[in-house]
Amino acid sequence: MSDFSEELKGPVTDDEQVETSVLSGAGMHFPWLQTYIETVAIGGKRKKDFAQTTSACLSFIQEALLKHQWQQAAEYMHSYFQTLEDSDSYKRQAAPEIIWKLGSEILFYHPKSNVETFNTFADRMKNIGIMNYLKISLQHALYLLHHGMLEDAKRKLSEAETWRHGEKTSSREILINLIQAYKGLLQYYTWSKKKRELSKLDKDDYAYSAVAQDVFNHSWKTSVNISALIKMPGVWDPFVKSYVEMLEFYGDRDGAQEVLTNYAYDEKFPSNPNAHIYLYNFLKRQKAPRSKLISVLKILYQIVPSHKLMLEFHTLLRKSEKEEHHKLGLEVLFGVLDFAGCTKNITAWKYLAKYVKKTLMGNHLVWVQEEWKSRKNWWPSFHFSYFWAKSDWKEDTALACEKAFVAGLLLGKGCRYFRYILKQDHQILGKKIKRMKRSVKKYSIVNPRL
Amino acid sequence: MRGFAAAQAHGILSPGLAFPAGGLLPPLPEAALATRVTGPGGGNCRGAAMDLEEAEEFKERCTQCEAVSWGLTDEGKYYCTSCHNVTERSKEVINSDIIPNAQIKALNRGLKRKNNSEKGWDWYVCEGFQHILYQQAEALKNLGVGPELKNDVLHNFWKRYLQKSKQAYCKNPVYTTGRKPTVLEDNLSHSDWASEPELPSDVNSPFLESGMESQSDVHTRKSLRISKALQSETSVCSGSLDGVEYSQRKEKGLVKMTVPQTLAFCYLSLLWQREAITLSDLLRFVEEDHIPYINAFQHFPEQMKLYGRDRGIFGTESWPNYDDIYKKTIEVATFLDLPRFPDITEDCYLHPNILCMKYLMEVNLPDEMHSLTCHVVKMTGMGEADFLTFDPIAKVAKTVKYDVQAVAVIVVVLKLLFLLDDNLEWSLSNLAEKHNEKNKKDKPWFNFRKWYQIMKKAFDEKKQNWEEARAKYLWKSEKPLYYSYVDKPVAYKKREMVVNLQKQFSTLVDSTPTAGKKSPSSFQFNWTEEDTERTCFHGHSLQGVLKEKGQSLLTKNSLYWLSTQKFCRCYCTHVTTYEESNYSLSYQFILNLFSFLLRIKASLLHEEVSLVEKELFKKKYSVTKKKSKSKKRRR
């Protein structure tokens, strides 16, 4: 499935789900439980055949979608439309949304379908009941975006934005904000295109001021459109990013910082590593003091200890004057290498080798022992097996050396990894290996010098 | 109802209500016949006497029967009340000195139209059911059932029902209470005011030709319309005149008409006629849309509006269920107080010997098994007319599930031959396979394994198709049912939207449409010798599983197990339970195969198998009540 379908299902599902998935981030779904609840609800009475056949029809559609049999899915869909006339009012109300989801999926992939068919379908579905108008409009716009029809998408969003019907509910408010924000995002896109144009132009160019004016107007509209959404709790990465970019461009640093701080630290928002990354990058651009940067990354470290920014974090901690920061620096490095995805990260190993040595030299054996305690029963086979020694050496001798050094420091010179690398005769690395051997002898935690 | 009313008043139908085939229904009580029929549908109140009075001025002799006894048809034409011959002469021609005939008609029609297009006709719930029955009878006729079924049997059952439920043919029909025709003397002189000229007159038709009441008495109708107007101003919602009353009517012992009940009527008539359609066939035809059932109301005349309570009465969202219709059949027959049905003898389709033959063919089993099924039928006494014939007035009214029973007999025979313990049937198959390889020219021995492989494949395909077809079934009628006039535009708009969406998606479907409606057939599987892909086992021999002993043949298998050890003796309705996993896989397969053919639950068939065994092994049950150990049978 493409990103598009993910988007379709992502932030905008049904009313309740919007709230649960956005607020708590845990939208769980048990289809079997649903059927069980249904049978309980009707008190064991025999389901009507209408209900039976339509639910069978639904599973046939789902199966066909799973197997990418768009044709079959369309065939069953033809029959499934009758659920719009279900005599069970609960099901009747739920039908448009199910039909929209299935139908749009089919039309997205079906070889005989095209933008026109999709438009007709979307326009029809929008007008079945008022409950789904906004959602469908938004997804319709996303579909158009996916097909590169920016102007049409913008028009759809504007239509939806001005649509007023019935009571204003909270779930609808979120949707309207989303629609406006997407519109803002499209405006941002135009703006950044213009900005690029502007950067190519000479300041004395006669067109410069016109383009500049244009850029300015756009940014103003966009900020209005986006700012409402990002005040609501949720994950709004692309919106926040583009909004901040524009604010920064016009020199409103305080505004940008406020948005980012709010996005990262407001407790109502779901935990979101990107929020901290954005804030960190912004602060770095602003040349903020080290302590501030450290405090931002500390939170990121708690959420994603394997993030590539952790090496940067380590450097910051190492440079810090505080001893507790030094200790944390060691922790961070060990943490990064706990993850399978980072095992071949040579920088991390290099840092670790250096830093462990430095720590041991600095008489902080306890720190290392503390970190090693929880890892000593799995790191040897995870990182320092004979197999790894062989393959690491074959792939990347530099990496193998760094690892061997760490292995030697942590496991002693008897360690297989260390021994294997030591045995290898390498002309360039020969000196380095020798030095390493000496250091291991001197500092290894296995045989503390008593 | 007018059909009935007119016919009765003029004494065309003999009071005996003779049934053509088989038996005679007892005459309706004299009192009921003596009184003028006043029933629902307005027209019933319109006495034939009034017509006669008005027609008195016409004194010519009938060209067909020479009688001078004229009535007026809807169109104002004279018809002979004794032979139903309709003349070309009409009332207007005679009175043409007053106003030109054409003008009256035009005026009347104009007025009528306006009124109708908004409100539709006045009609009663039972007329709706009558219309459905009419359609179903027509469909059955098209399936090849004799015309007597419609014209005589079903007609009479229905009349009897109307009488027993006090809706017509009795002194005080339920509907006239409180609605006595208040005579409004106005300028309308005769029948054609309130009648609809477009409708065929029922005079020519013996039964239900018009499908509903077209005739009406101007006075009754007027008063009814007033009461209807009053009702609709309050809160009543139903297109029919008595929809609300009908759904509230609750009397002890009354069997109210429902849509499934119409099938009970059909089945009763089929049974009376001893037609070659079993209950499972009938229900399958319903499911395959050969017999109107789901949304049968959509074929009602345009002017019979349905909404509100009519939804609940005529709307159906389920296919009929075997057990349910079976029970309803008995219920209806008892309610109608029907006499013993014509005997089911050996030459009837419903006799187990014939049905067994049919089902043996259907599931591709050797013809030779038929003599064994006949034997079982004989031993259990299930082939006797007294056992098979339906007698609603007997002490305990019960009828036989002919199809289920026949299939159960086949299952029992399969168990006798192959034991079906997931073991013996396979070793017997090995023997047959070896034998067939050696003797390629001889008549092949029946190989259970091969049969299973072929049937399993065919069955799975059929079932898959069936499930897919069901999932694609379109339930909603072109005429949406709505609760009230307020909902009407919403319902129609929704319908239109669904139709539009369907149209859009049908363009995405492959241009070759799925094979159209299947033509109705009592067979679902076809096996022919020519088909090389799918072996036909009809001609295979059972030699491999039987052995000769003197004059008689014995089954090689001398064991048997009972499907039910102990019958349920509690007050619940079932006699036994079926927990699938407790039984051998072969037995499960066979039950599934047969229950799919009959569209019943496997448990129902299991129950029937147990009942057949109970008869067959009576001694085992009564003497030891223990596991049956061995069983040798002679043939």
Side-chain angles (χ1 to χ4, degrees), chain A residues 48-50 53 57 60 71 74-79 81-82 84-85 87 103 107 110 112 117 120-121 124-125 128, chain B residues 311 317-319 464 467-468 470-476 494-495 497-498 500-502 504-510:
Chain A
K48 279 182 178 166
D49 284 335
F50 176 84
T53 63
C57 189
F60 276 120
Q71 180 114 344
E75 247 170 75
Y76 285 113
M77 204 59 206
H78 181 268
S79 301
F81 287 126
Q82 57 185 333
L84 289 170
E85 292 178 280
S87 48
L107 289 179
H110 198 287
K112 278 192 199 163
T117 351
T120 329
F121 179 65
R124 276 198 183 124
M125 291 312 295
I128 295 178
Chain B
R311 255 174 85 115
E317 293 201 329
S318 281
W319 284 295
Q464 177 74 19
E467 272 165 5
E468 285 173 7
R470 271 170 80 101
K472 281 182 190 166
Y473 188 82
L474 296 173
W475 290 91
K476 296 296 173 182
K494 208 145 225 180
R495 184 90 273 269
M497 250 169 335
V498 170
N500 284 338
L501 287 167
Q502 282 174 340
Q504 192 187 6
F505 269 69
S506 56
T507 59
L508 299 176
V509 176
D510 211 3

Side-chain angles (χ1 to χ4, degrees), chain A residues 186-428:
Chain A
L186 284 176
Q187 283 160 350
Y188 160 79
Y189 178 77
T190 336
W191 174 81
S192 78
K193 231 167 51 180
K194 289 249 165 69
K195 198 179 78 170
R196 249 177 288 138
E197 257 171 60
L198 194 65
S199 65
K200 279 182 210 152
L201 287 176
D202 198 344
K203 266 202 177 171
D204 303 325
D205 198 310
Y206 68 96
Y208 184 86
S209 62
V211 175
Q213 187 64 34
D214 233 20
V215 170
F216 181 77
N217 280 346
H218 265 290
S219 84
W220 178 77
K221 269 193 266 170
T222 313
S223 58
V224 171
N225 280 329
I226 294 183
S227 62
L229 176 75
I230 58 179
K231 279 190 195 115
M232 327 255 316
V235 178
W236 315 118
D237 292 351
F239 304 100
V240 170
K241 228 175 138 180
S242 41
Y243 186 47
V244 167
E245 188 187 331
M246 289 181 8
L247 288 177
E248 262 187 287
F249 184 81
Y250 291 103
D252 186 1
R253 279 180 210 155
D254 294 342
Q257 187 164 351
E258 197 194 319
V259 167
L260 284 171
T261 318
N262 183 53
Y263 190 53
Y265 290 111
D266 193 326
E267 277 176 4
K268 276 180 252 142
F269 280 62
S271 157
N272 177 6
N274 285 342
H276 302 283
I277 295 165
Y278 296 154
L279 182 60
Y280 171 75
N281 285 333
F282 174 81
L283 291 173
K284 209 165 96 176
R285 280 198 298 274
Q286 303 299 321
K287 309 244 169 6
R290 191 188 295 142
S291 60
K292 212 166 187 180
L293 293 175
I294 286 177
S295 69
V296 174
L297 286 180
K298 220 179 204 166
I299 299 172
L300 184 64
Y301 169 65
Q302 272 151 19
I303 314 173
V304 197
S306 63
H307 197 273
K308 60 178 185 226
L309 276 179
M310 287 305 112
L311 295 178
E312 235 173 292
F313 183 39
H314 165 78
T315 327
L316 286 172
L317 291 170
R318 200 174 56 204
K319 285 180 191 158
S320 163
E321 281 95 38
K322 288 188 189 165
E323 191 155 272
E324 55 172 310
H325 282 167
H326 295 161
K327 190 174 178 235
L328 185 61
L330 188 71
E331 257 178 66
V332 167
L333 281 178
F334 270 104
V336 167
L337 288 167
D338 279 343
F339 290 88
C342 307
T343 48
K344 302 228 159 129
N345 189 333
I346 184 164
T347 329
W349 283 111
K350 204 188 265 167
Y351 280 4
L352 186 65
K354 255 194 207 157
Y355 203 63
V356 169
K357 190 182 156 197
K358 191 181 157 196
T359 314
L360 291 171
M361 278 162 70
N363 277 331
H364 290 300
L365 176 69
V366 194
W367 294 358
V368 180
Q369 276 172 334
E370 211 174 283
E371 291 306 313
W372 185 240
K373 209 168 135 193
S374 60
R375 293 181 174 87
K376 68 177 169 202
N377 38 13
W378 63 282
W379 267 39
S381 50
F382 183 61
H383 287 306
F384 307 129
S385 68
Y386 186 66
F387 166 79
W388 278 124
K390 269 206 315 207
S391 79
D392 284 345
W393 182 259
K394 213 165 148 192
E395 271 175 42
D396 187 350
T397 45
L399 173 75
C401 277
E402 299 299 340
K403 271 179 88 173
F405 190 22
V406 177
L409 287 174
L410 295 173
L411 290 162
K413 57 186 174 174
C415 152
R416 298 189 80 176
Y417 196 101
F418 181 69
R419 277 206 330 240
Y420 181 83
I421 304 297
L422 222 55
K423 265 194 278 171
Q424 305 303 316
D425 201 22
H426 199 283
Q427 294 175 338
I428 309 162

Side-chain angles (χ1 to χ4, degrees), chain B residues 174-191:
Chain B
V174 280
Y175 295 105
T176 48
T177 48
R179 280 185 181 179
K180 282 276 188 304
T182 44
V183 182
L184 297 165
E185 287 301 340
D186 49 23
N187 54 349
L188 314 169
S189 58
H190 47 75
S191 71

